[in-house]
Amino acid sequence: MSEYEAVIGLEVHAQLLTHTKIFCGCSTAFGKEPNTQVCPVCLGLPGALPVLNRAAVELAARASLALSATVQPVSVFARKNYFYADLPKGYQISQFDRPLALAGHLAIPSGDGQKTVRIQRLHMEEDAGKNIHDRGDTSIVDLNRAGVPLIEIVTEPDLASAEEAGAYLRALREILVFVGVNDGNLEEGSFRCDANVSIKKKGDPELGTRVELKNINSFKFVEKAIKSEIARQELLLSDGGKVIRETRGWDDVKESTFTLRNKEAAEDYRYFPDPDLPELTLGVRDIETIRNTLPELPKDKRARFARELSLTPAAAEVLTSHPRLAAFFEETAMLTSDGLRAANFIQSEVLRDAEFHGTVATFPVTPSQVAGLLALSESGQISGKQAKEVYAKLRGTTLDPKAVVAELGMSQLTDPAAVLALCEEAVQANAKQADAYRAGKTSLFGFFVGDVMKRSKGRANPGVVNEMLKRLLGAS
Ligand code: ADP
Ligand code: MG
Ligand code: ZN
């Protein structure tokens, strides 16, 4: 057991799902030719003036409310001054001492229970450009991303392990995607995380010196990087060394963190209010209007699915993992009499072919096709096994399950008179076995069921067969 404990605080940058940039009308579409989505404002040409995008403010406020943070009536845009090739203005417009929202929280799973992570602040800022080095002999600066709206969400140092950090990031991404603020796409960089990591002697009230881990673009790597950084710091301190305040990156080949640069302090940025932008004011009415458009949050949905539809916590978790999936399930459940059955079928069949990309999802079938199919199997017209075959035919089509069942000639035999006739045939053809059964050899029951199924070419409804056979074999 280590004598140290880890303290972690996370800063997440999430791109807001606006069509245009935060201070100009340029498109935010991803993956376009470099420098085709730029104008004097986002290029930082002298004299060009920023105009705040209202949609970005609404989305940022939405995120704040979803995280139970308090949206401030007045917030202020500030210039964060630094020099880098991807920042032509020489400053990034961000918010500093007066951020958009303060004091939120988010519950995450931890161990067997839950833990509440406090969110210190949520502020708005613009993204920088991107240096591209893989174009032959030259490097270029692509400013398509410059001015794309971001929110930065900063936690208190409340996380105690790499696993908790991972759980927080997953929960945060889920909630942002759910409320339609962010597409949660780590590979395209629209959800990015910096992790601040320190250690201290167990029980020590004072926090240790922290290291900031930057630009790690997958949940798996974040967890690995934090683990390895904690181990590095433990080794340092137990050897009598000191942790220095710095920014480190993650080398996935060496599986270790490495120094990127010494950490700048806030003073180095010489923040000051941007004179080109007025204070951002949001009235109680504005905030309530935004609150009213918030959809049901994932944790509430999970609780409701468990309560109203008797889903297990695990099933509720899966079916609320994406807003489109939750909607697909709810629509199906509404069209069927048995929500649990719908949940099982969607998890075991539909999910295998569903595709998710950001906030978009594509499903191989529609909720009404699933509901129609489940109705056929519930009424005994087709067996569970046949339902899967029908499903395979429905995938990617708009066909009606009933039509497919008819076409495949697979409707189950449920008509009592027809099933009875088959059972009578089976009993007559196997008189010896019937006598043995009646004399007490009840293990022969399955033999009769099998014989009836053969005679019906697998179409007889097993429930009806059982009932009829019991009647015939018992009554002598
Ligand atoms: P900066 O201005 O350098 O970004 P902040 O005070 O804004 O620093 O804190 C950034 C993040 O670092 C927050 O998530 C905070 O919880 C976390 N943090 C602060 N001190 C520590 C510490 N000693 N160990 C781990 N995380 C810390
Ligand atoms: Mg910071
Ligand atoms: Zn522009």
Side-chain angles (χ1 to χ4, degrees):
M1 276 271 100
S2 158
E3 56 179 316
Y4 297 104
E5 59 191 3
V7 174
I8 302 158
L10 298 176
E11 297 167 273
V12 166
H13 288 91
Q15 182 178 335
L16 297 171
L17 284 171
T18 56
H19 299 295
T20 56
K21 293 186 180 179
I22 184 168
F23 298 120
C24 63
C26 293
S27 165
T28 55
F30 178 81
K32 297 291 188 250
E33 268 302 294
N35 300 310
T36 53
Q37 303 187 335
V38 292
C39 73
V41 173
C42 54
L43 287 173
L45 299 188
L49 289 172
V51 177
L52 181 58
N53 179 343
R54 168 188 284 269
V57 176
E58 282 171 4
L59 290 176
R62 230 173 134 79
S64 307
L65 296 172
L67 295 167
S68 316
T70 308
V71 175
Q72 302 299 296
V74 179
S75 62
V76 173
F77 286 97
R79 292 185 180 182
K80 180 180 182 178
N81 299 281
Y82 66 95
F83 172 81
Y84 199 63
D86 65 12
L87 188 76
K89 291 199 298 291
Y91 61 86
Q92 176 194 26
I93 304 179
S94 180
Q95 294 184 311
F96 180 52
D97 52 354
R98 303 193 68 180
L100 180 74
L102 291 167
H105 53 84
L106 182 59
I108 60 162
S110 163
D112 296 332
Q114 271 207 342
K115 170 169 188 169
T116 298
V117 179
R118 291 170 301 157
I119 288 165
Q120 198 178 87
R121 55 186 274 143
L122 184 155
H123 70 249
M124 302 179 70
E125 62 185 29
E126 60 178 342
D127 207 347
K130 191 179 167 193
N131 298 333
I132 302 178
H133 302 295
D134 59 0
R135 304 225 155 187
D137 291 343
T138 51
S139 286
I140 60 166
V141 181
D142 175 14
L143 293 171
N144 284 351
R145 216 174 66 184
V148 161
L150 304 177
I151 44 175
E152 179 174 336
I153 303 158
V154 183
T155 74
E156 297 288 353
D158 281 352
L159 299 150
S161 67
E163 291 78 15
E164 282 188 6
Y168 168 81
L169 291 173
R170 288 187 184 87
L172 179 61
R173 176 168 79 159
E174 178 184 80
I175 206 165
L176 295 182
V177 171
F178 241 89
V179 301
V181 157
N182 176 254
D183 68 13
N185 199 324
L186 276 77
E187 307 83 66
E188 291 178 6
S190 47
F191 186 98
R192 311 196 283 268
C193 163
D194 301 337
N196 296 272
V197 180
S198 69
I199 61 169
K200 62 183 176 68
K201 282 255 170 68
K202 273 190 182 139
D204 191 338
E206 218 161 290
L207 296 186
T209 303
R210 73 178 188 267
V211 158
E212 185 171 11
L213 303 176
K214 262 221 175 319
N215 300 329
I216 316 169
N217 63 353
S218 89
F219 289 153
K220 197 178 81 200
F221 289 168
V222 172
E223 289 190 38
K224 277 189 173 181
I226 291 174
K227 268 203 190 107
S228 129
E229 179 56 23
I230 292 171
R232 189 189 70 89
Q233 293 185 12
E234 283 185 1
L235 203 64
L236 253 177
L237 291 196
S238 47
D239 271 1
K242 257 188 170 165
V243 174
I244 37 174
R245 178 93 193 267
E246 61 182 350
T247 301
R248 298 175 72 91
W250 169 244
D251 183 332
D252 192 49
V253 178
K254 290 197 189 139
E255 300 233 309
S256 63
T257 63
F258 62 93
T259 299
L260 281 174
R261 59 173 189 264
N262 289 335
K263 174 73 185 165
E264 306 79 0
E267 311 78 81
D268 298 336
Y269 292 120
R270 302 216 164 261
Y271 280 100
F272 65 89
D274 192 309
D276 293 339
L277 287 158
E279 289 179 335
L280 171 57
T281 58
L282 284 165
V284 177
R285 283 254 211 90
D286 302 322
I287 295 167
E288 288 319 301
T289 306
I290 295 167
R291 194 191 301 281
N292 289 335
T293 66
L294 275 184
E296 186 180 32
L297 298 179
K299 70 170 177 355
D300 301 326
K301 238 187 219 318
R302 272 199 280 283
R304 186 166 57 78
F305 284 178
R307 195 175 60 236
E308 291 175 2
L309 300 159
S310 339
L311 298 196
T312 61
E317 182 89 37
V318 170
L319 293 170
T320 55
S321 60
H322 192 278
R324 307 299 339 134
L325 176 59
F328 185 96
F329 164 63
E330 279 207 83
E331 237 180 289
T332 311
M334 218 135 58
L335 295 169
T336 61
S337 52
D338 188 346
L340 204 53
R341 198 188 264 259
N344 289 337
F345 192 83
I346 290 170
Q347 284 182 94
S348 70
E349 303 300 316
V350 181
L351 260 186
R352 257 189 289 150
D353 319 300
E355 277 170 26
F356 300 93
H357 186 84
T359 54
V360 186
T362 43
F363 294 98
V365 286
T366 63
S368 77
Q369 283 175 309
V370 176
L373 183 57
L374 292 176
L376 289 169
S377 100
E378 210 167 334
S379 68
Q381 281 169 270
I382 55 172
S383 68
K385 189 164 152 268
Q386 288 175 322
K388 289 184 184 178
E389 277 173 58
V390 176
Y391 169 72
K393 290 264 184 244
L394 288 174
R395 274 189 331 215
T397 72
T398 54
L399 294 170
D400 179 352
K402 271 200 195 117
V404 173
V405 165
E407 193 191 304
L408 295 175
M410 62 166 41
S411 61
Q412 253 193 3
L413 211 48
T414 49
D415 173 18
V419 176
L420 181 61
L422 289 171
C423 291
E424 279 171 349
E425 272 177 36
V427 172
Q428 272 159 22
N430 301 288
K432 239 191 255 159
Q433 284 87 340
D435 287 343
Y437 179 89
R438 288 179 183 122
K441 203 172 174 205
T442 50
S443 60
L444 280 171
F445 194 74
F447 161 79
F448 285 103
V449 174
D451 195 61
V452 175
M453 291 316 266
K454 233 184 277 162
R455 287 167 196 277
S456 74
K457 299 194 175 65
R459 289 173 55 230
N461 175 295
V464 184
V465 172
N466 275 327
E467 198 189 310
M468 296 297 168
L469 277 175
K470 277 206 184 111
R471 247 198 252 171
L472 287 172
L473 290 167
S476 72

